[in-house]
Amino acid sequence: MTKKVKWIAAVAALILLGVLAFAFKNNNEGTAGAKQITIHVKGVTHQETISVDSDCETLAELLKIHTELKAEVDNGPYGAYLITLLDETQDSQKGPWWVYESDNNEVCTAMEYCPALDKVTIKDKDEFTFSLINELE
């Protein structure tokens, strides 16, 4: 290859890498600004659906800031996890445990499971179901 062709190929590769990095970065960020998030709670004493208007970018941030959810979030070696929701607290040693899922959140659907709360970016109309379970499946 001539020097000119190599230079053009290098510039094209850099442009392609820049476009891919920009697309990946924008796809993994929560939507800035107001959004409505729906939380379905299936606890022992609470079976309800709560809609929250928020400008938070992650699920962990939303749970911490919105006091009406009465949530307690802690950080572990793999990220943020839920301890309490609507005053129902998990027992991390023997259960019950809080688990959650989403059929429409981009992070959860792309990974085929929902990771740690601080890894889940949120967008308008996302829905999450939190369940307090007694047995891990």
Side-chain angles (χ1 to χ4, degrees):
M1 275 200 227
T2 67
K3 216 179 209 187
K4 187 175 184 179
V5 172
K6 287 181 184 179
W7 187 81
I8 291 172
V11 169
L14 285 174
I15 291 171
L16 179 62
L17 285 175
V19 169
L20 290 173
F22 179 77
F24 180 77
K25 180 180 182 288
N26 284 339
N27 192 36
N28 285 329
E29 289 181 354
T31 304
K35 58 187 95 35
Q36 184 178 57
I37 307 299
T38 302
I39 307 285
H40 305 282
V41 180
K42 296 179 180 181
V44 174
T45 59
H46 292 89
Q47 304 284 317
E48 59 187 277
T49 298
I50 301 168
S51 291
V52 178
D53 293 320
S54 181
D55 61 354
C56 296
E57 293 190 15
T58 68
L59 188 53
E61 182 183 4
L62 179 132
L63 290 166
K64 290 176 187 176
I65 289 176
H66 289 275
T67 57
E68 68 270 27
L69 297 172
K70 300 177 184 174
E72 181 183 350
V73 175
D74 201 1
N75 290 312
Y78 302 107
Y81 64 95
L82 186 63
I83 296 174
T84 302
L85 184 61
L86 295 177
D87 292 328
E88 292 193 52
T89 302
Q90 75 173 10
D91 181 331
S92 60
Q93 297 301 313
K94 59 183 178 182
W97 300 274
W98 280 112
V99 296
Y100 73 103
E101 61 188 357
S102 176
D103 292 330
N104 71 338
N105 174 268
E106 287 183 8
V107 174
C108 295
T109 57
M111 296 181 77
E112 297 183 358
Y113 71 95
C114 291
L117 297 168
D118 56 339
K119 308 290 189 247
V120 178
T121 54
I122 56 177
K123 296 188 176 182
D124 190 35
K125 306 293 184 210
D126 277 355
E127 292 192 31
F128 298 92
T129 299
F130 288 83
S131 302
L132 193 59
I133 63 168
N134 287 312
E135 295 183 17
L136 294 176
E137 298 173 1

